[in-house]
């Protein structure tokens, strides 16, 4: 089988460049297109040269349609509205769409789900292999420990430039905890505490958000019971882990039928 041809959207950003580097170092894939927003100062630049892998002859453009038409898949860590748009384009081209975008609201989620009728979409709040293993462990722990005795709190910290809170990873972990307890996260989540809050509601899944510096991503799930605490954590030290996970997801999805999948499907943990 020929190498899988991949397009990177948001190619000039930090994650876009990390994706280009991951493609360059992974057997079985090749960069076939690089897309940036209209008006970007990086248009026309060689994508490999910009990412530090050496010139590869792929110029950064602003039109995704011709790039998608000659590709087998697209890697996307952009914005919610852009990802919903790209999902539609991927459906038209019948290609794989790997979505690592966070902060996606219900309207854009619905558009992505609709596109998955014709595109093979892998979407996750975090593409790291370690985080998705952590989510499986959190679900197992939440299922095993009684909600009337053990409280679940999720703490996350990211760099000062992150625009959504809680992070997509924190919500992924929260959904895993809620799944383990057989409840809906929207019904159990406590995202803000301020002032005289009263006692902690039984069964609540709490979130705490920190922002500062250049932190790539720290996550802790604290399960606190009478006289003991279980702390499950993951520390991201390099954005390359997300890029490598996205490339792995694309290769996994290449032979799958259209549908909406997660990284837990990719890892066989679903």
């Amino acid at each position: 089988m020929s190498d899988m041809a991949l397009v990177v959207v948001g190619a000039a950003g930090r994650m876009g460049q990390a994706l280009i580097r991951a493609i360059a170092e992974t057997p079985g894939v090749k960069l076939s297109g690089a897309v940036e927003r209209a008006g970007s100062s990086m248009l026309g630049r060689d994508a490999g040269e910009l990412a530090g892998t050496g010139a590869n002859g792929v110029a950064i453009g602003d039109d995704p349609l011709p790039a998608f038409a000659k590709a087998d898949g697209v890697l996307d860590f952009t914005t919610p509205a852009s990802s919903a748009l790209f999902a539609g384009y991927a459906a038209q081209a019948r290609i794989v769409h790997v979505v690592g975008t966070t902060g996606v609201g219900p309207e854009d989620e619905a558009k992505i789900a609709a596109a998955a009728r014709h595109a093979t979409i892998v979407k996750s709040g975090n593409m790291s292999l370690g985080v998705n293993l952590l989510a499986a462990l959190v679900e197992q722990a939440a299922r095993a420990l009684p909600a009337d005795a053990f409280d679940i709190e999720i703490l996350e910290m990211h760099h000062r430039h992150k625009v959504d809170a809680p992070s997509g990873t924190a919500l992924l972990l929260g959904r895993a905890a809620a799944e383990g307890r057989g409840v809906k996260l929207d019904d159990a989540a406590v995202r803000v505490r301020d002032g005289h809050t009263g006692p902690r509601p039984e069964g609540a899944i709490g979130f705490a958000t920190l922002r500062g510096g250049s932190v790539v991503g720290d996550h802790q799930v604290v399960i606190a019971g009478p006289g003991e605490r279980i702390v499950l954590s993951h520390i991201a030290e390099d954005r390359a882990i997300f890029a490598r996970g996205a490339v792995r997801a694309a290769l996994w999805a290449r032979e799958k039928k259209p549908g909406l999948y997660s990284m837990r499907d990719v890892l066989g943990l679903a």
Side-chain angles (χ1 to χ4, degrees):
M1 183 181 295
S2 60
D3 287 351
M4 186 176 189
L6 297 175
V7 175
V8 173
V9 291
R14 288 179 297 180
M15 270 308 304
Q17 293 180 49
L19 290 165
I20 292 167
R21 290 191 290 271
I23 292 169
E25 68 185 26
T26 304
V29 295
K30 65 180 180 181
L31 183 69
S32 65
V35 177
E36 256 300 336
R37 69 187 185 281
S40 170
S41 61
M42 297 299 170
L43 294 178
R45 288 281 303 274
D46 184 282
E49 187 175 63
L50 180 64
T53 63
N56 57 17
V58 178
I60 298 175
D62 61 4
D63 188 352
L65 293 178
F68 283 30
K70 62 181 182 181
D72 300 308
V74 55
L75 307 183
D76 173 10
F77 288 69
T78 57
T79 66
S82 295
S83 291
L85 183 65
F86 293 141
Y89 293 160
Q92 292 175 32
R94 301 294 199 272
I95 60 175
V96 170
H97 185 196
V98 177
V99 184
T101 303
T102 60
V104 181
E107 184 177 341
D108 289 326
E109 289 278 13
K111 292 177 181 177
I112 292 170
R117 291 196 292 266
H118 302 291
T120 305
I121 298 178
V122 179
K123 182 179 179 298
S124 179
N126 191 302
M127 290 288 166
S128 154
L129 307 185
V131 160
N132 284 279
L133 176 59
L134 173 63
L137 297 174
V138 168
E139 181 178 335
Q140 186 175 4
R143 182 176 294 113
L145 299 171
D148 61 353
F150 286 85
D151 301 319
I152 298 177
E153 293 287 318
I154 299 170
L155 172 67
E156 58 104 340
M157 183 170 184
H158 284 83
H159 53 87
R160 65 175 65 184
H161 301 293
K162 188 166 179 62
V163 297
D164 57 311
S167 69
T169 303
L171 294 173
L172 180 151
L173 296 171
R175 283 191 289 270
E179 182 70 22
R181 288 191 165 172
V183 299
K184 293 181 179 179
L185 180 59
D186 288 346
D187 296 335
V190 176
R191 298 195 182 189
V192 178
R193 295 188 179 103
D194 185 35
H196 186 74
T197 62
R200 188 184 196 280
E202 183 179 298
I205 299 173
F207 291 85
T209 297
L210 306 177
R211 293 288 178 268
S214 58
V215 177
V216 174
D218 292 356
H219 293 85
Q220 282 192 353
V221 179
V222 180
I223 307 174
E228 60 181 335
R229 278 176 294 162
I230 300 97
V231 181
L232 302 170
S233 65
H234 180 273
I235 298 173
E237 298 176 343
D238 189 336
R239 286 179 180 80
I241 64 173
F242 312 128
R244 288 194 292 266
V247 173
R248 176 168 175 169
L251 284 167
W252 175 88
R254 188 178 191 181
E255 300 303 318
K256 296 297 183 292
K257 295 179 179 178
L260 185 58
Y261 301 92
S262 72
M263 281 300 289
R264 293 179 72 176
D265 294 305
V266 175
L267 296 177
L269 297 172

